[in-house]
Every structure is written in C-alpha cells, then in structure tokens.
Amino acid sequence: MRSYLFECIDCRKHYAPDEVEYVCPECAREQQPMQPLKGLLRCIYDYESIARQFDADLIAKREELGFDRWMELLPLESADALPPLITAATPLRPAPKLGDLLGLEELWLKDDTGLPTGSFKDRASALVVACAYERDRETVATASTGNAATALAGQCASMEMESVIFVPESAPMAKLTQIAVYGGKLIPVRGSYDDCFELSLAACERFGWYNRNTAYNPFTVEGKKTAALEIWEQLEFETPDWVIVPTGDGVILAGIEKGFSDLAALGLIERVPRLAAVQAAGCAPIVDAVASGSTTIIPEMKPETVADSIRVGVPRAGHWALQALASTNGVAVAVDDEAILEAIALIGRSSGVFAEPAAAASIAGAQKLAQDGIIAPDEVVVALITGNGLKDVPAAAKAVSFPKPIEATIEGVQDFIDQSAK
Amino acid sequence: MRSYLFECIDCRKHYAPDEVEYVCPECAREQQPMQPLKGLLRCIYDYESIARQFDADLIAKREELGFDRWMELLPLESADALPPLITAATPLRPAPKLGDLLGLEELWLKDDTGLPTGSFKDRASALVVACAYERDRETVATASTGNAATALAGQCASMEMESVIFVPESAPMAKLTQIAVYGGKLIPVRGSYDDCFELSLAACERFGWYNRNTAYNPFTVEGKKTAALEIWEQLEFETPDWVIVPTGDGVILAGIEKGFSDLAALGLIERVPRLAAVQAAGCAPIVDAVASGSTTIIPEMKPETVADSIRVGVPRAGHWALQALASTNGVAVAVDDEAILEAIALIGRSSGVFAEPAAAASIAGAQKLAQDGIIAPDEVVVALITGNGLKDVPAAAKAVSFPKPIEATIEGVQDFIDQSAK
C-alpha cells in the first residue's frame, strides 16, 4: 500500500511522497495572495499494478463497509490509521418524485447529511487525519469556519488527536459551537479568512502541526473522491451521465473527477460522468471563468449568498476545478438564493432529506440544467447533497411558511383542512 | 409474516390485530386526562414458530441492512412497506476514552445522530408509516413538537404520504422548520400539548387518518425495539450488562425492553440487560415513582430542563416504563442540567459524536451510576445517543467556552499556546 506519486496539476512535474508535503514548490513560488492556489498536487497510483488484482467483483465481495473498502486507491499504509467515525458508505437514494418535478427520469441523491459531523467534509478530514496519524503528527490545523473545520475537529476527537482551528474573529458563535464541542482548539484571529490561511501555514511550520487546509493538503481531494467510488458501486458498477456538485473552493469537484478518473485509469469504467458545477449567483467565480472561456479565475471580493458553505470568493482549487470541467465535458451554472431556498423545501417534501443551502444548490442547478435542455430527461443524474439542513435552520425557515393557529376543536381542524384545500 | 397478537400491558387481555387499533378498549375507559395512558398494547409474536427458523447465524448472513433484516419480528406483511429513508443499522461505537473518564472499561455509544431526520424517533416513525401504508392509510397524524413529529414528516415525505402535525401555538419556529421542510402539514392549536393530543385523536377518527401518537400507537414501541436488535447483533450476538436510556415519555425504555424480551422469548439470549432510565432533575416523574416504590406516576406539571426531548411532564408510557425497569432489575436516575451540558462536551471531545441535550443525559446518567457503584467498572454498558446535537446548537453553546481573539502573527499564536498550556 501507499505506493503513489504526486503530480503537479500545473507543471505536471512528479514528486515522490517524501519529496514534498503539500504543493509543488516550483509553482508555489508564483503564488499571489487572494488567488487560487498554484501547484496543487494530484496523487497518481501504480494503476497497472492495481488493475491486475482489483475489479468490481472484488469490491462487491468485500466485507469492509467504509473507506477501508478502497484501500488500494488511498494513500495509506494501513486501514488501521482510519478514524473510527466513518463507518459506511452514505446512502445513494433514488428520488423519483423529485425527478418528476425536475423532468428527470433517473435522479439519485448522494446523501451525505448523515455523516458524523453532518457534511461531505468528513470525507476529506477523515483521510487527512489518517495521513497525519501515519506521519506521527498528533495535531492537525486548518483555517476555516465551516464544515471542513467541524469535520476536522470531530475526526480528530475520534482518534484522540488534537485539532487547531484558525477562524476570523467575526465568525458567528453558532458555527463555532460544534467545533468547540468536539474539543477543537479554536484560535480566533483579528483578520480575514486569508490572514487565517497564512497564519495556519506559519503555525504548522513553527509547531510541527499537520495542515489540512482544503486543496492545499493534497489528501483533501483523495478523501473526497471516495464519494465517486461509492456512487460507482451503488449504481451497480455503472457510471452516471452526470454528477451535480455544489461548488465553493472547487475541491469537491476535483475529488469527484479524481475518483472517476482513477476508475478509468484502472480500466473499470469507459468514461467519466459529465460534471456540473453549481455556484450561487452572488459568488460564482468559477462559473464566470467557464462562461468567458478563460483559465484565469477572477476572485469575487464581495461574495453574497445564503449558501454559506459555497460562499467562497477565492476558490483555492479553482484551476483544478476548471481542468475537471474541461476534461469531463462539464458545465458550470449559477443559481440565485431564491432558487436555492426553494430547492430546500423541494428536496425535503419530495424525499425526506433535509439539505443545507449549499447542498440544495445542487438540485436548483439540476433543475436549471434540465430546463435549459443541457441535461436530457433520460440521463442518469446523481446530485450531491453535501450538508445537513440542521446546520442552518434559520435559512431553511425562509424556505417554508407557517400557518395561523386554530381553535382546539374538531370544527377548527375541519376549517383548516377546507382552507388549505382551496 | 404479520402473525402477532396484541396484549394489554395492564389487564393482559389478548386481541387479534384487527380487533383493536391503538389501545385496550376496556382499560382505556378508565383513562384520565393528563395521566399516563391506560391499556397500551404489546405485540406478541408466535415465538415458537419463529424460533424454529430464526437464529444469529441467519441474521449474520443476511444481506438486508435495515429494518428488513428483522422482518420475522416486525408487524408487517412485507418489507416493501418500509420507507426507503432508513437504510442501515446505526453505528455502535466503542468509546474507550469516554469510558476511561467515566470509570467504565467497556462503554459503547449507540449513535442514532446520523439517522435521516437526526433522531432515534425515525425508528418509530418509519415503522408506523409502514403500518399505515399496509392499511391503505395515506395520512398519518400526530401531536408533537419534537423529534417524533419531525421523523414522521420526514418518513412520510419519503413514501409520498401525508403527515399532519398538531402543535401548540407556542412551539418555537426553529423546531417547526424541519417539519415544514419535509412538507408536514402543521396545524398550530390554541392550547396545550394535551389539547393537541386529544384533538389528534378526534381528527384521526373524523378524517380517517392513522394516528402515530407515541405510546398510543402500539407500533411506536415495535419500531424502537430495532435498536435493541441491532445492539445484540453489533455486540456479536451478546447481551450487554446495561443499556442507558434517556427517558421522557418512556417509549424508548419500553422499546429496548421489548427488543431484548423478544430475543429472550426466542431463546436467543439468556437474560435481558439491566435498563437505566435517565431523566432530567427538573422533570423526573418516572425516577420519583421508582424511588417511592409506587406504581403510580405523578405527572410533573412544571417540567423544566434544557433537554427538551425528555421534557415530558406526563409520561404517556409511564406504566410500561415502570414494568420494564422492574422486569430488568433496572434503575432510574435523575441528572441536573449542568451535568447534561457537561456531558455534551465530554462526549464530543472524547469521541467526535455531537449529542443533543437529551442524548447527553444518557452519559451524565452513566457517570452518576458508575460513581455510585451501581454500574461496576467491568460491566458492558451501551448508552443510547438518541438525537443529533445540531437539533439544539444554542444549548450546546452553553456547554463550551470561546477564547478571545489574537493578533494575526505567529507570536500571537505562540502566546495563545503558552496561555492555554497554563
């Protein structure tokens, strides 16, 4: 196990795992502040050798339920390093009623709302924590206020490891609570997210902590790719036509592309699915870049959207995201906050899944792409539901209405029923 | 399948499934308002016949992951009636670090925080919805503001069925939001929870809706017992010494007792575990009844606790709860709000599980019972974690502290580390 190389996604140079830790040192030299990261590293495995002993039959027969099901495709020495908090694949739920509403005949929800800390980010954090464990690093640090930091704190807690979370002092208490409950060491910083990002790098250097900053740590993409591997197995080893990905920093998009690319490199699938990146209209730098045909991403300096998990003005994995869209014949689409909120209620009442705003964006995006004829009605579509609606109940409250009280009599109920039937 | 009888837990009279719907008509005649329910019905199966073809080996070999794994012990015609929203057993997590802190050598957390609507109540609601489906009832109603109603709305949504939820007009918007997202028809009532309870019965009668009121509908207990069946399998078909149960209306306690009793009736286990009911100090009518050796429960007319999911002044399944404690040589213990809040942080930082206050009560109770020597250090203890902490973030915020901001410099970080090491 753990036989892989790093490949820089910008200059394509290869590095042995012990040669570099996070990014391509050459490309990183050109890094500008407040810009997508240069020199992100992609793990490449010895696909030929893996292919000789790895196939769908082997996977189907395995008793392991979680990440350890995919050990050949993970950058780990041993499954023993994996945190116990991730225990199984998340459900891939058929969504026939929601599909009807959207005009899609085969729609699936990859439902990550039940992951231990309530979001897709558990995937990346679990793998990064395992990698830290194998490197004898007892503390993992990151700059984030959101699901990534929460997931890191939770996964570290389950391994009796320490997490250090750099957050802007303005971060709302509600978001910090879950991190604090997991015992994450919160360090509020007088400054912006970018100040936190820089400070986390300096602190990791000084104190020997392992850094989990999203995209910057190459294993964040590897952790996220597990969703693609699960989708493939759950569709009985078929590839969907589309995967719809709520997109902020671009790492989930990169992860989904990477998972299917690995399967293609092993000869297990003939094509990767088309990816659809969905951003919020008030924060859509990747959509803008795709629309202009540019490979340069112009950061959104005033990002505004109700979907806080994709409110990312500077998409750190922006270059990889653009490559993933190009190589999969993908599309990028922006949806406004109204459509996002409507999608929360649409998903909830048609399937019983409660999505946070960023997760609902995925369905708002699918709806738009179906309406515009970009997705055909008979294509197989998987939408990622990346976070639990309980993460942001106030946003969900805007998506629904509450009726007026009735008198406590059966006639009161009758009137209520008659009224609501109108 | 579906060969069972009802047995009244008070008069022990038997009924065929089509003879009665909810409670024993004779005992129910003595029902007083604002008191535990009379005449609750227990499903009894043809254990002899089931025992001939049902054992641990059979279960271990089954491919089904969820409720359908236990069809012989469920009151259903067919697994087709089960909502798709419940897809697998919830994790039984070893908690060695938390056990150390409590002085327990083998502590497990039955972690229901990842269930689709975020609480244990999905178990009862899923089964009730399946039973409604088999009875061609398209609408299921309940009186509740909490997890039970949320679970009903979510499970109905997944089956394209209707839910009707009677709530007191004073119910907080945040709690109603999740129900509304699932498309539950909220009917706010000018009155108390008890008014809602009565009104829900009358409305079900008038409109032909199926009633899911907890305890009142006998299948709520049957749904909840699945947790016991899962624990038995997950402990490799061994019985724990203790199961710790956060207790409000008493139905979870009844369900856990029922699950293990079913296994005992099949000859698969030799003893049922001892049950420990944990209530909040400000709302402990069951603890009080046990302490006084009485079989009468005196309702708590001013229930006060941060743990809203067990803030139940009138425990509707109180009689069954007392019977369950007596028959399992169980105990009942009250814990104060401070201990409950502390337990939230204790569980979070030692295991990465985020519990709502009622769920954390389970660990506060285990701690007290271990300190008092009632649970011995070497006993096998399973604590139910019945609800997701995201259900009540403001309560969790009281359980943790937040440090002051630092300057965005490495020296600032150094000072912070030095300070927190003191």
Side-chain angles (χ1 to χ4, degrees):
Chain A
M1 305 273 167
R2 199 164 140 186
S3 107
Y4 62 94
L5 292 176
F6 287 127
E7 180 180 77
C8 172
I9 71 153
D10 291 323
C11 73
R12 301 291 164 188
K13 195 177 165 189
H14 287 189
Y15 296 95
D18 55 0
E19 259 184 296
V20 290
E21 186 139 45
Y22 302 113
V23 288
C24 169
E26 294 184 21
C27 293
R29 261 188 234 127
E30 296 156 32
Q31 184 66 48
Q32 300 292 317
M34 299 293 286
Q35 289 293 330
L37 292 171
K38 300 264 188 190
L40 296 183
L41 298 178
R42 183 180 177 101
C43 292
I44 53 177
Y45 296 84
D46 183 350
Y47 296 106
E48 260 185 52
S49 145
I50 295 172
R52 279 196 290 272
Q53 25 177 326
F54 184 88
D55 60 19
D57 284 347
L58 176 82
I59 294 298
K61 276 186 209 139
R62 286 198 168 158
E63 285 187 9
E64 301 91 340
L65 284 174
F67 277 36
D68 44 353
R69 203 170 179 84
W70 309 100
M71 281 302 291
E72 289 90 342
L73 288 174
L74 292 179
L76 295 174
E77 297 281 358
S78 149
D80 295 344
L82 287 165
L85 212 50
I86 285 203
T87 33
T90 61
L92 183 70
R93 303 190 187 280
K97 190 173 164 192
L98 184 56
D100 273 357
L101 296 169
L102 268 54
L104 295 171
E105 290 161 25
E106 196 174 341
L107 175 65
W108 300 82
L109 305 181
K110 181 62 176 166
D111 179 8
D112 273 11
T113 61
L115 278 172
T117 75
S119 89
F120 190 100
K121 302 297 172 78
D122 274 316
R123 298 178 181 276
S125 289
L127 186 65
V128 167
V129 166
C131 291
Y133 181 86
E134 288 198 340
R135 285 159 183 73
D136 294 322
R137 312 285 274 274
E138 285 162 16
T139 300
V140 187
T142 195
S144 161
T145 59
N147 291 336
T150 310
L152 178 62
Q155 296 293 338
C156 278
S158 81
M159 290 287 276
E160 307 192 19
M161 289 165 62
E162 293 284 328
S163 60
V164 176
I165 316 292
F166 292 89
V167 296
E169 63 174 327
S170 60
M173 205 72 105
K175 305 210 71 175
L176 303 181
T177 298
Q178 193 179 3
I179 297 170
V181 165
Y182 294 135
K185 193 187 284 288
L186 281 167
I187 306 190
V189 175
R190 292 209 177 92
S192 64
Y193 171 78
D194 273 270
D195 294 325
C196 291
F197 192 94
E198 294 302 324
L199 197 54
S200 76
L201 302 191
C204 284
E205 181 83 24
R206 164 85 74 109
F207 301 107
W209 301 336
Y210 192 60
N211 192 295
R212 181 248 183 263
N213 285 359
T214 197
Y216 182 73
N217 184 309
F219 304 124
T220 53
V221 169
E222 291 298 297
K224 290 180 178 188
K225 85 176 178 190
T226 56
L229 305 178
E230 291 175 14
I231 290 168
W232 173 63
E233 180 178 10
Q234 289 170 321
L235 288 178
E236 299 186 352
F237 306 107
E238 296 289 335
T239 309
D241 296 303
W242 288 91
V243 180
I244 318 291
V245 185
T247 302
D249 53 44
V251 180
I252 300 185
L253 205 63
I256 298 298
E257 182 270 324
K258 179 60 160 60
F260 284 107
S261 292
D262 276 1
L263 294 172
L266 293 173
L268 292 166
I269 60 175
E270 287 176 11
R271 58 181 174 90
V272 295
R274 296 179 73 181
L275 300 185
V278 184
Q279 297 205 287
C283 180
I286 291 173
V287 174
D288 293 344
V290 171
S292 68
S294 168
T295 55
T296 304
I297 288 172
I298 301 168
E300 170 57 61
M301 300 316 288
K302 290 190 178 169
E304 271 180 41
T305 168
V306 68
D308 68 293
S309 300
I310 52 171
R311 197 193 300 133
V312 181
V314 186
R316 305 281 158 176
H319 298 154
W320 196 333
L322 292 182
Q323 288 182 15
L325 290 172
S327 69
T328 65
N329 190 21
V331 299
V333 63
V335 291
D336 60 29
D337 279 6
E338 200 184 347
I340 289 173
L341 292 175
E342 274 174 22
I344 291 176
L346 208 60
I347 301 165
R349 65 173 186 260
S350 64
S351 68
V353 173
F354 187 16
E356 69 165 353
S362 152
I363 291 302
Q367 187 166 32
K368 193 165 179 180
L369 292 168
Q371 274 164 1
D372 294 350
I374 295 169
I375 301 182
D378 62 348
E379 291 188 292
V380 178
V381 179
V382 175
L384 301 187
I385 305 297
T386 44
N388 196 311
L390 290 170
K391 293 249 183 184
D392 191 354
V393 174
K398 294 180 201 157
V400 292
S401 60
F402 301 96
K404 284 187 188 148
I406 64 164
E407 296 303 322
T409 61
I410 192 72
E411 292 72 30
V413 181
Q414 181 74 63
D415 287 347
F416 185 94
I417 300 295
D418 294 344
Q419 288 293 328
S420 55
K422 273 178 195 167
Chain B
M1 306 274 169
R2 199 163 140 186
S3 108
Y4 62 94
L5 291 175
F6 287 126
E7 180 181 76
C8 171
I9 70 153
D10 291 322
C11 73
R12 302 290 164 190
K13 195 177 163 189
H14 287 187
Y15 296 95
D18 54 359
E19 259 184 297
V20 291
E21 185 140 46
Y22 302 112
V23 288
C24 168
E26 293 182 20
C27 294
R29 263 188 232 123
E30 297 156 30
Q31 184 66 47
Q32 301 292 317
M34 298 294 284
Q35 289 293 329
L37 293 171
K38 300 264 189 190
L40 296 183
L41 297 177
R42 183 180 175 100
C43 292
I44 52 176
Y45 296 84
D46 183 351
Y47 296 106
E48 261 184 54
S49 144
I50 295 172
R52 279 196 291 274
Q53 25 175 326
F54 185 87
D55 61 18
D57 284 347
L58 176 82
I59 294 298
K61 276 185 208 140
R62 284 198 168 157
E63 284 187 11
E64 300 90 340
L65 283 175
F67 278 36
D68 44 354
R69 202 169 178 87
W70 308 100
M71 281 303 291
E72 288 89 344
L73 289 173
L74 292 179
L76 295 174
E77 298 281 358
S78 149
D80 295 343
L82 286 165
L85 211 50
I86 284 202
T87 30
T90 61
L92 183 70
R93 303 190 188 280
K97 190 174 166 193
L98 184 57
D100 273 356
L101 296 169
L102 268 54
L104 295 172
E105 290 162 24
E106 196 175 340
L107 176 65
W108 299 82
L109 306 181
K110 182 62 177 165
D111 179 8
D112 274 10
T113 61
L115 278 173
T117 74
S119 90
F120 191 100
K121 302 298 172 75
D122 274 315
R123 298 178 181 276
S125 290
L127 186 65
V128 167
V129 166
C131 291
Y133 180 86
E134 289 198 340
R135 285 159 183 73
D136 294 322
R137 312 285 274 273
E138 285 162 17
T139 301
V140 187
T142 195
S144 161
T145 59
N147 290 338
T150 310
L152 178 62
Q155 297 292 338
C156 278
S158 81
M159 290 286 276
E160 306 191 21
M161 288 165 63
E162 292 285 327
S163 60
V164 176
I165 317 291
F166 292 89
V167 297
E169 62 174 327
S170 60
M173 204 72 104
K175 305 209 70 173
L176 304 182
T177 298
Q178 194 180 1
I179 297 169
V181 165
Y182 294 136
K185 193 188 282 290
L186 281 167
I187 306 191
V189 175
R190 292 209 176 89
S192 66
Y193 171 78
D194 273 271
D195 295 324
C196 291
F197 191 96
E198 294 303 324
L199 197 54
S200 77
L201 303 191
C204 284
E205 181 82 24
R206 163 85 73 108
F207 302 107
W209 301 334
Y210 193 60
N211 191 295
R212 180 247 183 263
N213 285 0
T214 196
Y216 182 75
N217 184 310
F219 304 125
T220 52
V221 169
E222 291 298 298
K224 290 179 180 189
K225 84 175 179 191
T226 55
L229 305 177
E230 292 175 13
I231 290 168
W232 172 63
E233 180 177 11
Q234 289 169 322
L235 288 177
E236 298 185 356
F237 305 106
E238 296 290 336
T239 310
D241 295 303
W242 289 92
V243 180
I244 319 292
V245 185
T247 302
D249 53 45
V251 179
I252 300 185
L253 206 62
I256 298 298
E257 182 270 323
K258 179 59 161 59
F260 285 107
S261 293
D262 276 1
L263 294 173
L266 292 173
L268 292 167
I269 60 176
E270 287 176 10
R271 58 181 174 89
V272 296
R274 297 180 71 183
L275 300 186
V278 184
Q279 296 204 287
C283 180
I286 291 172
V287 174
D288 294 343
V290 171
S292 68
S294 168
T295 55
T296 305
I297 287 172
I298 301 167
E300 169 59 60
M301 300 315 289
K302 289 191 179 167
E304 272 180 38
T305 168
V306 67
D308 68 290
S309 300
I310 53 172
R311 196 193 300 135
V312 181
V314 186
R316 305 282 157 177
H319 299 152
W320 196 333
L322 293 181
Q323 288 181 17
L325 290 172
S327 70
T328 65
N329 190 22
V331 299
V333 64
V335 292
D336 60 29
D337 279 6
E338 199 183 346
I340 289 173
L341 292 175
E342 274 174 21
I344 292 176
L346 209 59
I347 301 165
R349 65 173 184 259
S350 64
S351 69
V353 173
F354 187 18
E356 69 164 352
S362 154
I363 290 303
Q367 186 166 32
K368 193 165 181 180
L369 292 167
Q371 273 164 4
D372 294 350
I374 295 170
I375 301 182
D378 61 348
E379 291 189 294
V380 178
V381 179
V382 175
L384 301 187
I385 305 297
T386 44
N388 196 313
L390 290 171
K391 293 248 184 186
D392 191 354
V393 174
K398 294 180 199 155
V400 292
S401 60
F402 300 97
K404 285 189 186 144
I406 65 165
E407 296 303 322
T409 62
I410 192 72
E411 292 73 29
V413 182
Q414 183 74 60
D415 287 348
F416 185 93
I417 299 296
D418 294 345
Q419 288 293 327
S420 55
K422 274 181 193 167

